[in-house]
Amino acid sequence: MNRLGVDFLGFSLKNPIAAASGTFGFGKEYAEFYDINQLGAVCLKGLTLHKKAGNDGVRIWECTGGMLNSIGLENPGVKAFIEEYEETQARIQTVKIVNLGGDSLEEYVEGARLLNQIDIDILELNISCPNVKSGGMLFGVSEDSAYQVTRAVKDITRFPLMVKLSPNVADIAVIAAACEEAGADGLSLINTVQGMAIDIQNRRAVFDNVYAGLSGAAIKPIALRMVHQAAKAVNIPIMGIGGIYSGRDVLEFLMVGASCVQIGTAGFIRPTKLMEILAELKAYCEENDLFLKEIINII
Amino acid sequence: MNRLGVDFLGFSLKNPIAAASGTFGFGKEYAEFYDINQLGAVCLKGLTLHKKAGNDGVRIWECTGGMLNSIGLENPGVKAFIEEYEETQARIQTVKIVNLGGDSLEEYVEGARLLNQIDIDILELNISCPNVKSGGMLFGVSEDSAYQVTRAVKDITRFPLMVKLSPNVADIAVIAAACEEAGADGLSLINTVQGMAIDIQNRRAVFDNVYAGLSGAAIKPIALRMVHQAAKAVNIPIMGIGGIYSGRDVLEFLMVGASCVQIGTAGFIRPTKLMEILAELKAYCEENDLFLKEIINII
Amino acid sequence: MALILENKPIASNVFQMRVAANQQVKAGQFYMLRAWENIPTFSRPISICDQNGEEMTFVYEVKGKGTEIFSTLQAGDEIELMGPRGNGFVLKGQKCVLVGGGVGIAPLLLLAKRLREQGAQITAYLGFRSEEYLKEDFARYCHRIITDVGGKITDVIETESFDCAYICGPEVMMQAAWDKLKHSAEQVVVSVERRMACGVGVCLGCNIKTRQGNKKVCSDGPIFAAEDVFYE
Amino acid sequence: MALILENKPIASNVFQMRVAANQQVKAGQFYMLRAWENIPTFSRPISICDQNGEEMTFVYEVKGKGTEIFSTLQAGDEIELMGPRGNGFVLKGQKCVLVGGGVGIAPLLLLAKRLREQGAQITAYLGFRSEEYLKEDFARYCHRIITDVGGKITDVIETESFDCAYICGPEVMMQAAWDKLKHSAEQVVVSVERRMACGVGVCLGCNIKTRQGNKKVCSDGPIFAAEDVFYE
Ligand SMILES: Cc1cc2nc3c(=O)[nH]c(=O)nc-3n(C[C@H](O)[C@H](O)[C@H](O)COP(=O)(O)OP(=O)(O)OC[C@H]3O[C@@H](n4cnc5c(N)ncnc54)[C@H](O)[C@@H]3O)c2cc1C
Ligand SMILES: Cc1cc2nc3c(=O)[nH]c(=O)nc-3n(C[C@H](O)[C@H](O)[C@H](O)COP(=O)(O)OP(=O)(O)OC[C@H]3O[C@@H](n4cnc5c(N)ncnc54)[C@H](O)[C@@H]3O)c2cc1C
Ligand SMILES: Cc1cc2nc3c(=O)[nH]c(=O)nc-3n(C[C@H](O)[C@H](O)[C@H](O)COP(=O)(O)O)c2cc1C
Ligand SMILES: Cc1cc2nc3c(=O)[nH]c(=O)nc-3n(C[C@H](O)[C@H](O)[C@H](O)COP(=O)(O)O)c2cc1C
Ligand code: FES
Ligand code: FES
């Protein structure tokens, strides 16, 4: 009797906990610390069609209740990923979510097309990427471009499509609805909140890119609010993300409408942190005679 | 030789530190703990034309690195404020900023008109209020309504007008520019970030209003980014707000473009916290032979 | 900052902290306690449980992060006290009844002492969740003590006439006590709890709706006439 | 979790912490240290300074929040250790030179010990900001020790030929040492510092651009050939 099981995009997840993209690599490193297949799912490091070297300068910065990152999507590119996929696949028996970014519609589409060659479980579209064609505004902040990129990728991919939303918007419900209309099978949110840090000594921005992405406990109230708003706006399932550090935090996200969650920053507390959160969640469910499915979206 | 002095909207502030609206009442309570006239300025509790009873249920909630509030703008109304203004005025010899909210354009305008009767120093327009006429969306999240309310109030007020921006927008620069165009003399930002908290036990939202405003250290990276973006977009001076807890935090806000700052949540650490921050700032300036005016907007 | 003289468990999850402090205080007043700088955000409101010359005692239950930190403090450490805050109890009547539930009994101890000093005759109903504490202390001032462990203390309240009833505990318990006592006690007052940010009356976070409109628990309260609180 | 055996200041703002731990470690490796749950967010990377059977020693300078917390720990407390992490020094050569600046001398101590075990002859240049520490420990393994307090240790480096040079300290100091030693030492390696989140190679936060492309200091490093780091 698995109290923790949840359904998501046609998969029966053994529990609602997934590692968040960019905080888990391709599963190799943490596999040395624990059995990563105990996770309900894993989101692999964000890919782009072409290899990316990532950003120069400081890439991470600690702040109260969280961190800022400006990794710059360093990744080997879709092709290299595909070439090494056999190894990745052998390592990961749980649900595999591949995260795809891009700077243009064409890049997204071509990346998605190439990924059709291999057997992944879910495609997660990271639309918090600057749209080079429309002046660098993120795909994820305009209703139109969110719609377009979702639609274009949906047309080509053979996998369930989950769109990962940016929180840097005035009304997340509008973007969520646009993605649903464009054919998204599910949503994940939130990506990092745009922030900034200052190096007082040198009187400059800490990051070469000036702005960076805020994650961790600090953003949990924002993430909960947005998941709640999105859940009320769409009928497709949601993966909740943002500042989850405990089993109770997981429950909160399920209650506001997420079917499952991703955990990023908390994993940096220690390599086995996700297992601790899982254990806490399990203990809570047992003590309270709770099946997680019962509480999804009850608020 | 005052290293801390800054200019703002025609006033020479003896230092850049002001108490934030809603966290200082009308100055009476903290006056029992320290000489409030040591502050560069004070922003009084947000007023609305008509008295407001505020929200029912839980009104404040602690979260990692900050708090959520849903006070609901409880206030005596502009008229009652004016009636008691003599007493307030007698108490406060530093720069007095009056914060005005409203649910409709007419309310804002009428409130501003009434305030012309008394001698305040700066009018701060809180546009993070739901615009009842356009379906409850905040005035501050649409370029148009931000423009309109700023324009309408600017036309009537006899005081320097500072517009307080909401961070719950996709592009703060656009809103900032709209307010400048509409005649704002200055800007203050950020107001609280919309967030949510869950009462797991009772499986409900903590706040009767469901969503609430996030403030404190958690939002500092977001606030810095937005002040920076706004400062690059406009030529009017800015008052920076959001998660300032230390003298160094003040410096960060000045460097990204604020001429002075407001401090809210940190004041709840202890009544004299703002004085501690001021002392820290002063010590820093002395040690580093720094005049604050020099570092404004250098990043 | 006040020096901690002692900080020890007196029941499971309940601690008694003695600190060096000689301010003038009223029974029913509280302090905002803090033993950290920025995080957790808020200080914690804790009632004065006892006062003796240069010493003050707090009794607190460990519930969450803040009280957890308090429980790790040791004699010789310091704790930040902001207060005394709040209105405190008005000492009234010759025949008084105290009703306390859980750690809500804490402020009633200093109250009992002060009432006794005025010569009052005191009956105390004290309800505990799992074990008794502070009972001998109450015994010093009270004429009669009725305790209950694990049940509802309000179930055993006898209808007897009192000049004044003082109630402190969980809101449902206070409501039940008020229902029992409103006809037999001339005055009934309750000590109310609300989450607090500033503790001084500026944030309006500790609001309570009373018959007289909005009140701030931190500065208008925490003591209110029961009829003003339970009026709906 | 490891038991702290001792944690004491050995210079102003510099602490030496001995812990009970008997893992196999290489000189130049480090641990991610943590003595809190959620805040601060990151664990702090600290090099292994010494190891003796069941004991390991860290020497750290108090700089910010994390090391400040470390400095308050006492014998009998526990500290969380994640590691050993990183590649560690390759022990090479019979005639070696160590150049350490500030607390960057810490990993060089265990290195000196291990090199000595292999019979190497060691010259150590140790630069301190305001006072010397660990000097006697180095004296046990080194043939010659040159120290400098308050100046630039790299200014006093003599041009002499070495099989291998090991450098650890602030980046500018390492660059200067490399400039001095690149022609006289056959191999020059440096121990690099970067902010770290995961410490295991998943977050790509500790990136360093090398001649061979992006490398992760936490897992590809922290030890790199100087020529690969200072190549521009
Ligand atoms: C006027 C007054 C007097 C009090 N006197 C005592 C006393 O003498 N002994 C005692 O054990 N408790 C007393 N309490 C309750 C005590 O303040 C809370 O139990 C305590 O704040 C919980 O903090 P925490 O860190 O353990 O819990 P957390 O859950 O970590 O607290 C989170 C936040 O909620 C607030 N909070 C949680 N529970 C309460 C509550 N019941 N009332 C008010 N705020 C709460 C905290 O202050 C904090 O801001 C009093 C409360 C008030 C308002
Ligand atoms: C591989 C490696 C080995 C190290 N070995 C030692 C050692 O043996 N002794 C010692 O005193 N110091 C050592 N350092 C530096 C040490 O990690 C930092 O001084 C320490 O993390 C500062 O933390 P803080 O909490 O005091 O400072 P804060 O300013 O509060 O730190 C904020 C964040 O920045 C990071 N950070 C700050 N300075 C550095 C730095 N110089 N290098 C890496 N991260 C930094 C912190 O880890 C933290 O994540 C080493 C660093 C690395 C990368
Ligand atoms: C170091 C780091 C790298 C990240 N890389 C990616 C990425 O490649 N693709 C992506 O969609 N999100 C990325 N994210 C965002 C996370 O997946 C997640 O949405 C965010 O961190 C919020 O969750 P958290 O608060 O649990 O960390 C990254 C986050 C961090 C901290
Ligand atoms: C309890 C509380 C009440 C507030 N009331 C008002 C208000 O009446 N008007 C307003 O414009 N902002 C109000 N704010 C927002 C603050 O003025 C400030 O913009 C925000 O808290 C961010 O600053 P901080 O992180 O320093 O608290 C309130 C904030 C808090 C915490
Ligand atoms: S706690 Fe702020 S008004 Fe009472
Ligand atoms: S610290 Fe995360 S990759 Fe090195």
Side-chain angles (χ1 to χ4, degrees):
Chain A
M1 197 170 62
N2 178 11
R3 296 170 182 280
L4 272 58
V6 293
D7 299 320
F8 189 66
L9 298 186
F11 295 91
S12 296
L13 308 190
K14 49 183 164 289
N15 64 64
I17 296 182
S21 181
T23 66
F24 190 75
F26 298 107
K28 201 165 168 172
E29 290 81 3
Y30 283 137
E32 288 175 27
F33 289 89
Y34 63 93
D35 175 9
I36 57 173
N37 295 316
Q38 290 194 58
L39 293 169
V42 297
C43 301
L44 304 181
K45 171 70 195 150
L47 300 172
T48 49
L49 178 60
H50 305 293
K51 177 184 162 72
K52 263 189 197 279
N55 292 335
D56 286 342
V58 172
R59 287 183 167 193
I60 51 172
W61 191 257
E62 191 177 72
C63 53
T64 306
M67 64 181 286
L68 287 156
N69 90 76
S70 175
I71 307 297
L73 277 183
E74 174 177 345
N75 80 91
V78 171
K79 278 190 196 124
F81 171 76
I82 290 174
E83 275 158 28
E84 295 194 0
Y85 190 63
E86 221 166 299
E87 197 193 311
T88 307
Q89 201 173 12
R91 190 162 48 229
I92 308 175
Q93 274 85 54
T94 189
V95 174
K96 287 170 284 296
I97 304 177
V98 170
N99 178 286
L100 180 67
D103 291 332
S104 68
L105 200 67
E106 295 71 30
E107 259 188 60
Y108 276 107
V109 169
E110 182 58 12
R113 203 184 54 76
L114 291 177
L115 286 169
N116 281 340
Q117 298 169 31
I118 55 173
D119 277 326
I120 66 171
D121 295 320
I122 294 170
L123 181 62
E124 180 178 53
L125 211 61
N126 173 9
I127 59 170
S128 304
C129 292
N131 184 343
V132 290
K133 291 243 171 99
S134 57
M137 274 290 277
L138 305 189
F139 277 97
V141 303
S142 121
E143 201 180 334
D144 280 354
S145 61
Y147 179 93
Q148 280 166 25
V149 67
T150 304
R151 188 62 197 246
V153 172
K154 178 65 192 172
D155 282 347
I156 194 143
T157 187
R158 65 182 186 92
F159 307 112
L161 180 64
M162 169 166 95
V163 181
K164 183 167 180 179
L165 305 186
S166 160
N168 304 301
V169 299
D171 190 350
I172 197 83
V174 168
I175 311 287
C179 295
E180 180 180 41
E181 209 192 311
D185 300 298
L187 300 174
S188 57
L189 64 153
I190 58 174
N191 212 316
T192 53
V193 182
Q194 202 182 26
M196 182 179 189
I198 310 304
D199 174 349
I200 295 180
Q201 202 61 40
N202 299 305
R203 302 183 177 187
R204 62 181 294 269
V206 161
F207 296 102
D208 281 10
N209 260 3
V210 187
Y211 306 140
L214 180 64
S215 62
I219 67 169
K220 194 186 78 169
I222 304 172
L224 282 169
R225 184 258 299 180
M226 290 197 163
V227 169
H228 188 254
Q229 290 177 314
K232 298 294 160 277
V234 300
N235 289 308
I236 50 178
I238 292 176
M239 203 154 188
I241 322 171
I244 296 173
Y245 278 53
S246 70
R248 300 179 77 89
D249 289 342
V250 175
L251 294 171
E252 294 180 2
F253 276 84
L254 299 195
M255 288 185 186
V256 297
S259 299
C260 50
V261 302
Q262 293 178 25
I263 303 178
T265 305
F268 302 150
I269 291 175
R270 67 183 65 84
T272 50
K273 186 72 189 183
L274 271 60
M275 289 297 108
E276 291 171 29
I277 297 174
L278 180 57
E280 229 182 288
L281 190 62
K282 200 169 168 198
Y284 185 96
C285 288
E286 274 160 17
E287 273 163 38
N288 294 276
D289 191 19
L290 179 71
F291 284 75
L292 288 183
K293 282 181 190 176
E294 294 166 12
I295 59 162
I296 293 169
N297 211 7
I298 60 170
I299 292 181
Chain B
M1 198 170 63
N2 179 11
R3 296 168 180 283
L4 272 58
V6 294
D7 299 320
F8 189 67
L9 298 186
F11 295 92
S12 296
L13 307 191
K14 50 184 163 288
N15 64 65
I17 296 182
S21 181
T23 65
F24 190 74
F26 297 106
K28 200 166 170 172
E29 291 81 2
Y30 283 137
E32 289 175 27
F33 290 89
Y34 63 93
D35 173 9
I36 58 173
N37 294 316
Q38 291 195 57
L39 293 168
V42 297
C43 301
L44 304 182
K45 172 68 195 153
L47 300 172
T48 48
L49 178 60
H50 306 293
K51 176 183 162 72
K52 263 188 197 280
N55 292 334
D56 287 342
V58 171
R59 287 182 167 193
I60 51 172
W61 191 256
E62 191 177 72
C63 54
T64 306
M67 64 179 286
L68 288 156
N69 90 76
S70 176
I71 307 297
L73 278 184
E74 174 178 344
N75 81 88
V78 171
K79 277 188 200 131
F81 172 75
I82 291 173
E83 276 159 28
E84 296 195 358
Y85 189 63
E86 220 166 302
E87 196 192 315
T88 306
Q89 202 174 12
R91 189 161 50 228
I92 310 176
Q93 274 86 52
T94 189
V95 175
K96 288 170 283 296
I97 303 177
V98 170
N99 178 288
L100 179 68
D103 291 332
S104 68
L105 200 67
E106 294 70 31
E107 259 187 61
Y108 276 106
V109 170
E110 181 60 12
R113 202 183 55 76
L114 291 178
L115 287 167
N116 281 340
Q117 299 168 29
I118 54 172
D119 277 326
I120 66 172
D121 295 319
I122 294 170
L123 181 62
E124 181 179 51
L125 211 61
N126 173 10
I127 61 171
S128 304
C129 293
N131 183 343
V132 290
K133 290 243 171 99
S134 59
M137 275 290 275
L138 305 190
F139 277 96
V141 304
S142 124
E143 201 180 333
D144 281 355
S145 60
Y147 179 92
Q148 279 166 23
V149 68
T150 304
R151 187 63 198 247
V153 172
K154 178 65 192 170
D155 282 347
I156 192 140
T157 187
R158 64 184 188 92
F159 307 112
L161 180 64
M162 168 167 94
V163 182
K164 181 166 181 181
L165 306 185
S166 160
N168 304 300
V169 300
D171 190 350
I172 197 84
V174 169
I175 310 287
C179 293
E180 180 181 39
E181 210 193 312
D185 301 297
L187 299 174
S188 57
L189 64 152
I190 59 176
N191 212 316
T192 54
V193 182
Q194 200 181 27
M196 183 178 186
I198 311 303
D199 173 351
I200 295 179
Q201 201 61 40
N202 299 305
R203 302 184 177 185
R204 61 181 294 267
V206 161
F207 295 102
D208 281 11
N209 260 5
V210 186
Y211 306 141
L214 180 64
S215 62
I219 67 169
K220 192 186 78 169
I222 304 172
L224 281 170
R225 184 257 298 179
M226 290 196 163
V227 169
H228 188 255
Q229 290 176 315
K232 299 293 159 278
V234 300
N235 289 309
I236 48 178
I238 291 176
M239 202 155 190
I241 323 171
I244 297 173
Y245 278 55
S246 69
R248 301 178 77 88
D249 289 343
V250 176
L251 294 170
E252 294 180 3
F253 276 83
L254 298 195
M255 289 184 185
V256 298
S259 299
C260 50
V261 302
Q262 293 179 26
I263 304 179
T265 305
F268 302 149
I269 290 174
R270 68 182 65 84
T272 51
K273 185 72 188 181
L274 270 59
M275 289 298 109
E276 291 172 28
I277 297 173
L278 179 57
E280 229 181 289
L281 189 63
K282 201 170 169 197
Y284 185 97
C285 289
E286 275 160 17
E287 274 164 37
N288 293 276
D289 190 20
L290 179 71
F291 284 76
L292 287 183
K293 282 181 189 175
E294 295 166 10
I295 59 163
I296 292 170
N297 210 8
I298 61 171
I299 293 182
Chain C
M1 295 297 257
L3 184 71
I4 296 175
L5 304 171
E6 188 180 41
N7 187 27
K8 64 171 192 211
I10 55 169
S12 69
N13 261 337
V14 179
F15 285 71
Q16 186 174 49
M17 184 190 283
R18 285 193 303 120
V19 303
N22 64 349
Q23 288 179 280
Q24 283 280 348
V25 302
K26 290 192 212 164
Q29 286 189 307
F30 65 96
Y31 280 82
M32 296 295 282
L33 267 62
R34 195 170 188 97
W36 51 83
E37 191 50 33
N38 294 344
I39 297 175
T41 309
F42 302 143
S43 302
R44 283 7 188 194
I46 303 287
S47 303
I48 304 154
C49 176
D50 199 1
Q51 203 211 21
N52 273 310
E54 314 269 282
E55 277 185 36
M56 201 151 53
T57 305
F58 298 102
V59 167
Y60 60 92
E61 190 175 359
V62 174
K63 289 213 178 129
K65 293 177 295 292
T67 50
E68 172 76 40
I69 296 173
F70 294 155
S71 74
T72 65
L73 300 174
Q74 296 175 349
D77 290 344
E78 296 210 301
I79 188 162
E80 201 175 330
L81 301 186
M82 200 272 288
R85 305 304 309 171
N87 53 359
F89 292 109
V90 175
L91 305 178
K92 257 196 197 153
Q94 280 305 305
K95 199 172 168 224
C96 304
V97 59
L98 315 182
V99 188
V103 76
I105 69 170
L108 300 182
L109 182 63
L110 182 58
L111 174 67
K113 188 180 189 170
R114 294 281 160 88
L115 284 171
R116 187 78 198 92
E117 284 164 11
Q118 302 204 344
Q121 181 188 307
I122 308 166
T123 304
Y125 287 95
L126 308 175
F128 301 92
R129 200 174 320 135
S130 58
E131 61 196 293
E132 294 181 349
Y133 48 89
L134 294 183
K135 193 176 170 183
E136 313 86 77
D137 302 84
F138 275 95
R140 261 182 269 152
Y141 315 116
C142 298
H143 180 73
R144 192 176 159 212
I145 299 182
I146 302 95
T147 61
D148 175 277
V149 178
K152 286 189 187 157
I153 186 68
T154 48
D155 286 350
V156 300
I157 294 179
E158 293 164 30
T159 316
E160 197 183 332
S161 72
F162 292 106
D163 297 333
C164 193
Y166 300 89
I167 313 175
C168 184
E171 206 127 323
V172 278
M173 172 262 169
M174 294 202 290
Q175 170 94 58
W178 158 241
D179 287 340
K180 280 241 171 167
L181 290 162
K182 60 182 150 193
H183 299 301
S184 52
E186 253 171 63
Q187 291 220 357
V188 182
V189 298
V190 293
S191 177
V192 176
E193 290 187 1
R194 281 294 181 280
R195 286 161 205 282
M196 293 183 183
C198 70
V200 303
V202 301
C203 77
L204 310 185
C206 63
N207 182 62
I208 182 170
K209 269 171 87 173
T210 72
R211 191 198 296 269
Q212 278 81 32
N214 280 351
K215 296 286 172 190
K216 299 180 247 185
V217 170
C218 71
S219 41
D220 299 322
I223 317 300
F224 294 95
E227 67 206 48
D228 290 341
V229 172
F230 302 117
Y231 66 102
E232 274 175 333
Chain D
M1 296 297 258
L3 184 70
I4 297 174
L5 304 171
E6 189 180 40
N7 187 29
K8 61 168 191 212
I10 56 170
S12 71
N13 259 338
V14 179
F15 285 71
Q16 184 174 49
M17 184 190 284
R18 287 194 302 120
V19 304
N22 64 348
Q23 289 180 281
Q24 284 279 346
V25 301
K26 289 193 212 163
Q29 285 191 307
F30 65 95
Y31 280 82
M32 296 294 283
L33 267 62
R34 197 173 186 93
W36 51 84
E37 190 53 34
N38 295 343
I39 297 175
T41 308
F42 302 144
S43 302
R44 281 12 185 190
I46 303 288
S47 302
I48 304 155
C49 175
D50 199 1
Q51 202 211 21
N52 274 310
E54 315 270 280
E55 276 186 37
M56 201 151 53
T57 304
F58 299 103
V59 167
Y60 61 93
E61 190 176 357
V62 174
K63 290 212 179 131
K65 292 177 295 290
T67 49
E68 171 77 39
I69 296 174
F70 295 156
S71 74
T72 66
L73 299 174
Q74 298 176 348
D77 289 343
E78 298 210 300
I79 188 162
E80 200 174 331
L81 301 185
M82 201 271 290
R85 306 303 310 173
N87 53 1
F89 292 110
V90 175
L91 306 178
K92 259 194 197 156
Q94 280 306 303
K95 198 171 167 227
C96 304
V97 59
L98 316 182
V99 187
V103 76
I105 68 170
L108 301 181
L109 181 63
L110 182 58
L111 174 66
K113 186 179 190 174
R114 293 280 160 87
L115 285 170
R116 187 80 198 93
E117 284 164 11
Q118 302 202 347
Q121 181 188 305
I122 308 166
T123 303
Y125 288 94
L126 308 176
F128 301 90
R129 199 174 320 137
S130 58
E131 60 195 297
E132 295 182 346
Y133 49 88
L134 294 183
K135 192 176 172 184
E136 313 87 79
D137 303 82
F138 275 95
R140 261 182 269 154
Y141 315 117
C142 299
H143 180 73
R144 193 177 159 212
I145 298 182
I146 301 94
T147 61
D148 176 276
V149 178
K152 285 189 186 158
I153 186 70
T154 48
D155 287 349
V156 301
I157 294 179
E158 295 163 29
T159 315
E160 197 185 333
S161 73
F162 292 105
D163 298 334
C164 195
Y166 299 89
I167 312 174
C168 184
E171 206 127 323
V172 279
M173 170 262 168
M174 295 203 290
Q175 169 94 57
W178 158 240
D179 287 340
K180 281 241 169 167
L181 290 162
K182 61 181 150 193
H183 300 300
S184 52
E186 254 171 61
Q187 291 221 356
V188 182
V189 299
V190 293
S191 178
V192 176
E193 289 187 1
R194 282 294 181 280
R195 285 160 206 282
M196 294 183 181
C198 70
V200 304
V202 303
C203 76
L204 309 184
C206 63
N207 183 63
I208 181 170
K209 269 171 89 174
T210 72
R211 192 197 298 269
Q212 277 81 33
N214 280 351
K215 296 286 174 192
K216 299 180 247 187
V217 170
C218 70
S219 42
D220 300 323
I223 318 300
F224 295 96
E227 66 207 49
D228 290 342
V229 171
F230 301 117
Y231 66 102
E232 274 174 333

